[in-house]
Amino acid sequence: MPSYGQLSQLLAPETTVLLTVECQQGVVGPDSALPELAREARKSGALANVARLVAAAHESGVQVIHAIAERRPDGRGANRNARLFHAAERLPVQQLTGTAAVRVAAPIEVSEEDFVVRRLHGLSPIQGTEVDALLRNLGCRTLVVTGVSANVAVPNAVFDAVNRGYTVVVPSDAVAGVPSDYTPVMIRHTLALVATIATTDEVLGALGRPRRTRVRPA
């Protein structure tokens, strides 16, 4: 784990952006299209930790970007070149533009200063979206990546950010995937090779926010 000094240097508010990945009602909310992932995000405390990080970012002057995956009702422009996309078309809850499914999920709070970036295609919150241009215009040097899932979108975000020259910090307990034992293995053996891995409390401490003892939800 990085030292407090190292994290504090990486997470200077004026050059840091917090990215939440697919933390939307149709993915991690009570009526999720992916109930197993939604349960894991809540049971593990990952979603609560994302909310804590967002609240701290708002108070610390760190810019927040919420990356949302959605599709048009007619499906135009959406990918169909992988099993994942075909499976998504058959899910009972669709991530349709303008519906509740593509709103940021509680307990995460969205402020007027936040950016909400919506994509209609692909697997990555960064590739082919507005995120990279926004990061550059904001003077971002360090990107904090949180959200779901550890299986697909989060690794895509980390790799894309690193390939574009950003330093990435991943709060390991603010990321969720399925099955539950996959996420720590993926973080340890893959993301740790290219990103700085920390805990939510360590990131909060580096941002000058008090730590607290987290009680894992039942």
Side-chain angles (χ1 to χ4, degrees):
M1 291 294 181
S3 69
Y4 171 79
Q6 290 171 322
L7 265 184
S8 295
Q9 188 172 20
L10 286 177
L11 298 174
E14 63 274 11
T15 56
T16 297
V17 173
L18 173 66
L19 178 70
T20 76
V21 178
E22 296 183 23
C23 292
Q24 56 201 75
Q25 292 187 31
V27 176
V28 295
D31 298 319
S32 170
L34 303 165
E36 183 182 3
L37 177 59
R39 285 193 297 269
E40 179 60 27
R42 293 178 180 275
K43 182 178 179 181
S44 68
L47 188 60
N49 282 333
V50 174
R52 293 173 61 202
L53 288 163
V54 169
H58 291 160
E59 295 183 22
S60 304
V62 170
Q63 180 66 55
V64 178
I65 298 177
H66 304 281
I68 301 297
E70 60 182 49
R71 60 185 288 126
R72 288 167 47 119
D74 60 11
R76 290 173 63 85
N79 287 66
R80 293 184 175 84
N81 58 334
R83 290 174 57 197
L84 176 64
F85 302 124
H86 290 290
E89 290 178 347
R90 298 190 296 269
L91 291 173
V93 177
Q94 294 290 304
Q95 313 300 315
L96 299 181
T97 300
T99 67
V102 296
R103 296 175 189 162
V104 176
I108 299 169
E109 295 187 358
V110 181
S111 79
E112 292 184 359
E113 291 77 22
D114 294 357
F115 290 101
V116 179
V117 177
R118 304 178 183 278
R119 77 177 194 275
L120 293 170
H121 60 84
L123 300 170
S124 172
I126 297 178
Q127 172 66 33
T129 74
E130 294 180 278
V131 170
D132 183 39
L134 291 174
L135 294 177
R136 295 191 185 283
N137 290 343
L138 291 164
C140 175
R141 296 179 62 184
T142 300
L143 183 66
V144 182
V145 178
T146 67
V148 298
S149 74
N151 305 79
V152 179
V154 168
N156 266 271
V158 172
F159 294 143
D160 285 346
V162 171
N163 284 333
R164 285 162 175 75
Y166 302 104
T167 297
V168 178
V169 173
V170 177
S172 57
D173 53 355
V175 171
V178 290
S180 59
D181 57 358
Y182 172 74
T183 300
V185 173
M186 187 277 297
I187 290 174
R188 179 179 179 182
H189 295 289
T190 301
L191 297 190
L193 301 177
V194 296
T196 297
I197 309 302
T199 66
T200 294
D201 278 346
E202 287 170 337
V203 172
L204 293 176
L207 292 175
R209 305 300 303 158
R211 302 184 183 194
R212 73 180 187 190
T213 301
R214 179 172 62 84
V215 178
R216 177 169 292 191

